[in-house]
Amino acid sequence: MSDDRLRMTPGPTEVPSRVRERMSEPTWNPDVESEFFEFYRVLTDKLEPVYGGDDVAILSGEGILGLEAAIASLVAEGDRVLCVSNGIYGDGFADFVETYGGEAVTCRSPSTDPLDLEAVESTLADGEFDVATMVHCETPTGTLNDLEPVLSLLEDHDALSVVDAVSSLGGAPVPVDEIDVCLGASQKCFSAPPGLCVLSVSDRAWEKIESFETRSFYADLEPWRTAADEEWFPYTHATSNLFALDAAIDAILEEGVESVFDRHADAATLCRDRARELGLEIYPESDDLASPTVTAIRLEGRAQEVQQQVQDEHDIVLSTGLGEHEDDILRVGHMGHNARRERVERTMDAIEAVLE
């Protein structure tokens, strides 16, 4: 079936043909075929240049599984967790913390602002925290957070850091070497099908993970530290999805990680420039906060209407905001395979035509 629809959403992104073809290869039995374990080890090694170090694990499950698994595996009953947030996903970490018996303390700033460093410093000074969470790219608002100042404070206070980099990893630099658990997903900047979450884990995070018994089985990270070496996974892995991810990572490494970052930055600049030429405002307004993987355009009360028109009249799929921004923000995803000038031009031409 031919499908010429252009899906410029901030994930899932378009899956290139070489990745789809790799996914269609015969499925191995990951429980009994030794070749699979060697393949998995090689794949996690390939991911390390994208991550920049630390042990990498790949779990069967959409990116949200990684967020829950990090909390389930790091937060013991009664642990205090600082949730640093300026958006929906930053707030969402607190729900996971409370689900697993931790005490969540949210340090929130408006979604138009950067993470509040002074508030974080003040909160850390008021008491001890075992873990802290934050989001690199708040996809619903197209906001990219500067993590390093916060990570430095957390290190000073000996708090383990958990970062949701699901919509930035592979499309923008992430300070992974300063993060204890860094979370990504296959369907975003990697341009592989949905179904896998990838994460890096520091040695001190592994120590915490192994120090207590989590209340979850599927979301328990502990077995993944030695699973590949011991050739035993806690559940049957998603072999075909891993084949696809392998092909997607090959494409990134062939292009070069820095070149991939440059391509994303160029696509984002073009998208913002075209939007402003149309008299539209970007959310957030400051380019210093704008993500290279997704652009959020302000369309007060019109986002869903424009989204539908662009799809019906131009066969281009876009996303709107979430929650309170559902009808006020139109989002253009230029991540992964879609971070290309010609795709952004086509998308912005369609938006321009609808708004005329």
Side-chain angles (χ1 to χ4, degrees):
M1 181 181 70
S2 176
D3 185 356
D4 295 325
R5 177 168 286 175
L6 179 59
R7 297 175 177 88
M8 294 292 286
T9 55
T13 54
E14 180 175 332
V15 179
S17 58
R18 66 182 283 184
V19 177
R20 297 197 306 271
E21 289 166 7
R22 184 71 193 285
M23 192 176 187
S24 68
E25 290 183 4
T27 303
W28 295 352
N29 187 320
D31 299 319
V32 298
E33 294 187 66
S34 60
E35 296 90 343
F36 174 78
F37 298 101
E38 178 59 21
F39 161 73
Y40 177 88
R41 286 190 286 265
V42 170
L43 176 54
T44 54
D45 286 344
K46 285 182 185 178
L47 277 160
E48 288 185 6
V50 179
Y51 264 101
D54 283 331
D55 284 347
V56 176
I58 310 168
L59 280 61
S60 291
E62 198 270 340
I64 290 294
L65 172 63
L67 276 62
E68 179 172 354
I71 299 305
S73 302
L74 284 172
V75 178
E77 190 92 25
D79 278 359
R80 298 188 79 218
V81 179
L82 176 62
C83 300
V84 186
S85 172
N86 61 349
I88 290 174
Y89 286 105
D91 290 348
F93 266 122
D95 295 332
F96 286 129
V97 170
E98 291 167 0
T99 296
Y100 286 95
E103 178 191 348
V105 177
T106 301
C107 187
R108 200 184 196 291
S109 51
S111 57
T112 51
D113 295 347
L115 300 176
D116 191 335
L117 192 62
E118 290 185 5
V120 171
E121 189 168 20
S122 174
T123 305
L124 286 169
D126 283 344
E128 292 186 2
F129 289 87
D130 302 280
V131 177
T133 66
M134 68 197 87
V135 175
H136 189 212
C137 175
E138 271 287 357
T139 328
T141 57
T143 301
L144 191 76
N145 289 311
D146 182 7
L147 302 179
E148 292 182 84
V150 179
L151 291 169
S152 179
L153 284 175
L154 298 179
E155 186 176 3
D156 291 343
H157 289 267
D158 200 30
L160 290 166
S161 56
V162 175
V163 171
D164 169 358
V166 167
S167 59
S168 58
L169 192 71
V174 182
V176 179
D177 58 343
E178 301 175 43
I179 298 168
D180 290 298
V181 178
C182 184
L183 304 159
S186 56
Q187 80 275 16
K188 299 285 187 173
C189 298
F190 295 151
S191 283
L196 298 174
C197 59
V198 292
L199 55 130
S200 64
V201 186
S202 71
D203 287 341
R204 70 176 194 150
W206 281 126
E207 290 174 10
K208 171 71 171 179
I209 289 166
E210 293 171 345
S211 69
F212 72 98
E213 184 132 355
T214 182
R215 292 187 290 166
S216 174
F217 176 82
Y218 201 83
D220 185 5
L221 293 179
E222 183 174 357
W224 294 93
R225 186 174 196 181
T226 59
D229 291 336
E230 295 179 356
E231 300 197 348
W232 176 87
F233 290 105
Y235 48 77
T236 299
H237 222 314
T239 310
S240 296
N241 286 72
L242 289 166
F243 286 166
L245 180 61
D246 185 55
I249 298 303
D250 281 344
I252 290 174
L253 296 178
E254 288 166 14
E255 183 177 351
V257 174
E258 292 300 324
S259 294
V260 171
F261 292 163
D262 290 344
R263 176 164 55 80
H264 280 77
D266 181 60
T269 299
L270 174 62
C271 189
R272 294 195 299 270
D273 287 348
R274 285 290 311 271
R276 287 172 177 140
E277 287 170 7
L278 297 176
L280 302 173
E281 294 182 6
I282 305 301
Y283 191 110
E285 293 180 7
S286 171
D287 280 359
D288 290 339
L289 287 173
S291 171
T293 63
V294 54
T295 293
I297 300 170
R298 289 180 184 267
L299 287 174
E300 302 293 335
R302 297 189 59 197
Q304 293 179 85
E305 171 195 349
V306 173
Q307 176 199 36
Q308 193 63 53
Q309 280 187 264
V310 168
Q311 181 169 324
D312 291 344
E313 298 171 15
H314 299 273
D315 215 17
I316 299 173
V317 183
L318 302 174
S319 297
T320 61
L322 299 176
E324 63 179 335
H325 300 298
E326 184 177 14
D327 201 27
D328 297 327
I329 287 178
L330 183 70
R331 294 185 290 156
V332 179
H334 34 75
M335 61 173 64
H337 189 64
N338 283 341
R340 303 182 189 279
R341 293 183 68 88
E342 64 273 14
R343 290 169 180 258
V344 173
E345 291 280 21
R346 178 180 161 188
T347 301
M348 299 310 296
D349 286 347
I351 293 174
E352 181 177 12
V354 165
L355 291 177
E356 284 181 345

